[in-house]
Amino acid sequence: PPSDGVRYLSALATVVWLLEETLIRVGNKEYAVEAEIYRTMLDRADGFSAETKATMNAATGEAGGFLIPQEMMVDLIPQLREMSIARQLGVTVLDNLVGEVFWNKSKGGITAEHINTEEDATGTETVATFDQIKLSPHPIAAFVPLSYQMQNQPAIALEAWVRSEIATQIGLLEDETVFIGSGVNNAPRGIVKHPLIQDSNFGTVTYKGATQDITSKLLGVVKLVRNKFGMTLGRLGWAFGVNALYHIAQTSLDGQGRHLIDSLIEGSAANLATPPTLLRYPVFDSTFINTGTTTAERFVFGPWADVILGHWGTLAFAMSDQTETNFR
C-alpha cells in the first residue's frame, strides 16, 4: 500500500542521512558521495507515480531479455488423440500378403435330416455352395516436407519423431477405416458401409423409469446377431461411439431408479486387458464410430473375427530429393 511505501522511504531517508553525516565526519568522501546519490534518488521517488521509470527487464530483448538463458526440453508434448480398438476387438489380421488375395468363403447349402432306415430312402440331396472375397491393397501415406537444415539442427531428433508420428497416424487412420471407411476415393470400405450390414434403428427410446426399453433394444441386437451367426465365427463384442455409450450411461435408469450402466456394464474401462462387458460381451468405445450428430448415434455389435485386415509388405519410409532443399 502507498502508506507503507511512504513510511519505508522515510525510514530509509533517515538512515541514509545519519550514514551520510557519520561518513562525512570520518572523512570518507567516497561513501559520502554514494550516500548523497542515494538520498537524491529517494527524493525523486516522491513523484514516482507521475513518472515513467526506465528499468532493465526481461520483457523485451534490448532491456535485458537477451540475457535470460533459454532451456529447450528435448521431449515434445504429445498430441491428444484416439486409441486404436480394432485389434482389441479381435479382427483377423493377415500380414505379409503379396499380390491380390482371394479369400474363399463357404455359403452353406448342406443340410441334415432324419431318415427312416427301414425304408428304401436316400433322403434329400443338398449341395454345398461357395463364394469368394477379393482382398486388394489400399495404400496409406503421409508426406512431410523436411528441410536439410531442419533435419540436422533441432535440439531433438526430429527425423525420428517424424517417423514415429507418421507410423502412429497411419495406424489410427487404419483403425478408423475399419469402422467407417467410405469405399470411395482410394479408401477401403468399412464395416458400417458394408451393403450386407443389418441396421437396428432404435427410433425413439424411453430411457428413464419403469417403462424404459433400452435394455430390450440392446438384447434385441444380441439376439439378432446370435440367430444369424451363432458363436462359431469369432468373439462377439461391442464397439460403441463415445457419445452413444455415455448417453446410455448417463440418462438410462432401470425400474428401481438406478443408472442402467451399473447393472449392464462390469469391469474397468481403464484396464484394457479386462475390458468392461455389456450383457456379457466386451465393450470398447471410440470417437471414430461417432456419427457427428446428437440425434443419431452409432454402435456396432458382431463377430469381429469376420473383419479381415490385410497388410501388404510393411511400413516403409522413403526420402526424396526431388523437392530441391527438402526431403519428403
Side-chain angles (χ1 to χ4, degrees):
S3 58
D4 292 341
V6 170
R7 289 197 297 270
Y8 178 73
L9 293 175
S10 299
L12 282 178
T14 302
V15 171
V16 170
W17 180 80
L18 293 174
L19 177 62
E20 178 187 9
E21 292 299 318
T22 303
L23 293 176
I24 290 176
R25 288 170 186 164
V26 299
N28 193 328
K29 296 183 179 180
E30 292 182 359
Y31 286 156
V33 170
E34 291 178 358
E36 176 64 22
I37 293 174
Y38 191 73
R39 187 176 64 81
T40 302
M41 293 303 297
L42 290 176
D43 292 339
R44 292 181 180 179
D46 293 338
F48 180 80
S49 60
E51 298 180 10
T52 301
K53 302 288 185 181
T55 61
M56 295 178 65
N57 63 83
T60 58
E62 292 184 351
F66 292 141
L67 306 180
I68 305 299
Q70 295 182 353
E71 182 175 357
M72 181 68 69
M73 304 302 293
V74 297
D75 295 327
L76 287 176
I77 298 175
Q79 174 188 357
L80 296 178
R81 50 189 159 220
E82 189 50 85
M83 179 183 64
S84 175
I85 66 171
R87 285 171 175 77
Q88 298 176 67
L89 284 163
V91 300
T92 299
V93 180
L94 305 177
D95 288 319
N96 302 317
L97 299 178
V98 178
E100 292 186 338
V101 177
F102 291 87
W103 189 273
N104 295 321
K105 174 182 178 182
S106 170
K107 296 180 64 176
I110 298 178
T111 60
E113 62 182 358
H114 292 283
I115 62 171
N116 187 348
T117 60
E118 302 301 323
E119 296 180 357
D120 186 12
T122 58
T124 303
E125 294 181 352
T126 55
V127 179
T129 58
F130 304 92
D131 198 356
Q132 198 172 60
I133 300 174
K134 178 183 178 181
L135 302 181
S136 300
H138 297 263
I140 298 176
F143 298 96
V144 182
L146 182 64
S147 71
Y148 182 82
Q149 183 175 357
M150 194 64 187
Q151 182 184 7
N152 290 278
Q153 285 196 309
I156 67 170
L158 187 60
E159 181 181 344
W161 178 85
V162 170
R163 287 173 176 265
S164 174
E165 189 69 10
I166 288 176
T168 299
Q169 294 299 333
I170 287 177
L172 291 176
L173 178 57
E174 178 187 82
D175 200 71
E176 180 179 5
T177 304
V178 166
F179 299 106
I180 62 172
S182 64
V184 298
N185 296 329
N186 302 318
R189 183 179 57 194
I191 296 170
V192 301
K193 299 295 184 180
H194 196 284
L196 297 182
I197 192 172
Q198 190 162 353
D199 290 335
S200 179
N201 192 334
F202 283 13
T204 302
V205 178
T206 303
Y207 285 96
K208 298 182 179 180
T211 60
Q212 63 83 26
D213 56 359
I214 187 66
T215 304
S216 63
K217 296 289 186 180
L218 295 172
L219 286 171
V221 171
V222 174
K223 182 174 69 173
L224 180 102
V225 174
R226 287 294 305 274
N227 287 338
K228 188 173 182 64
F229 296 108
M231 285 290 287
T232 61
L233 297 183
R235 187 180 69 176
L236 295 171
W238 304 89
F240 264 94
V242 172
N243 294 340
L245 179 63
Y246 288 94
H247 183 72
I248 293 175
Q250 294 177 7
T251 63
S252 303
L253 304 176
D254 62 16
Q256 286 72 44
R258 298 171 301 181
H259 281 284
L260 190 63
I261 203 73
D262 294 334
S263 57
L264 292 182
I265 291 186
E266 301 173 354
S268 170
N271 183 5
L272 299 180
T274 308
T277 59
L278 174 60
L279 301 177
R280 299 185 303 164
Y281 300 105
V283 177
F284 293 92
D285 58 279
S286 171
T287 57
F288 292 154
I289 310 173
N290 286 348
T291 63
T293 70
T294 57
T295 58
E297 285 301 339
R298 176 191 295 130
F299 61 85
V300 184
F301 181 76
W304 291 94
D306 273 9
V307 181
I308 301 173
L309 179 60
H311 287 155
W312 280 256
T314 183
L315 186 63
F317 295 95
M319 299 180 67
S320 170
D321 59 358
Q322 301 304 311
T323 55
E324 299 180 352
T325 59
N326 288 343
F327 289 104
R328 196 180 190 193

